[in-house]
Amino acid sequence: MLEDLLSGAWQSVVFGVVGVALMAAGFLLVDMLTPGRLRELIWVRRNGNAALLLAANQLGIAGIVFTAILTSYSDFTKGLASTVIFGLIGLLIMALAFFVLDLLTPGRLGEIICSDEPHPAARVSAATHFGAALIVCACIA
């Protein structure tokens, strides 16, 4: 009984670390997609457009990790591998969605997101990121 509890706790720690690492990768992805540095844009300039896009990205990655863990294989190693794989796929799909939206709309989406003025394109971009994540969640389930 204690062994099962310790094993479950250890697995929770490992899945948690993987989830946080994937969310950090999501941060880096949004940082690469937008001109400037996210730390500067959000925490110094208080840019709402960039914050909204990053928030949607982080929630999307968390949703993917949640779904991957919830539907995980009973084998810990396979479950962990599937979580990492689907998390990385999610990041790639979100990046693809950003580029496609950028191609379909006027202006440069990255520059619009970095604008200090609130812009409706930030909401559309955030919804696109989160929607892409939901698609990956559906593929997992």
Side-chain angles (χ1 to χ4, degrees):
M1 174 102 167
L2 180 61
E3 185 177 315
D4 290 340
L5 178 63
L6 292 176
S7 174
W10 169 248
Q11 290 175 8
S12 296
V13 168
V14 173
F15 275 115
V17 168
V18 166
V20 169
L22 286 167
M23 290 175 71
F27 179 94
L28 295 174
L29 173 70
V30 174
D31 201 21
M32 287 177 12
L33 294 173
T34 54
R37 307 257 319 151
L38 275 182
R39 292 177 196 177
E40 170 79 17
L41 284 170
I42 296 172
W43 282 271
V44 176
R45 289 178 34 196
R46 298 174 181 254
N47 183 297
N49 297 328
L52 182 61
L53 179 61
L54 180 60
N57 179 277
Q58 296 294 281
L59 288 171
I61 291 298
I64 291 169
V65 170
F66 172 85
T67 305
I69 292 170
L70 190 65
T71 62
S72 186
Y73 295 93
S74 57
D75 179 72
F76 172 68
T77 305
K78 285 183 183 178
L80 188 62
S82 71
T83 300
V84 171
I85 289 168
F86 281 115
L88 293 174
I89 289 171
L91 289 170
L92 291 174
I93 297 295
M94 282 188 248
L96 175 64
F98 184 91
F99 288 124
V100 169
L101 184 62
D102 193 25
L103 288 173
L104 296 174
T105 56
R108 302 293 308 156
L109 189 53
E111 292 171 8
I112 292 169
I113 295 297
C114 293
S115 170
D116 289 329
E117 291 296 315
H119 198 289
R123 291 189 285 278
V124 174
S125 183
T128 301
H129 263 252
F130 193 69
L134 289 178
I135 291 167
V136 175
C137 288
C139 292
I140 296 169

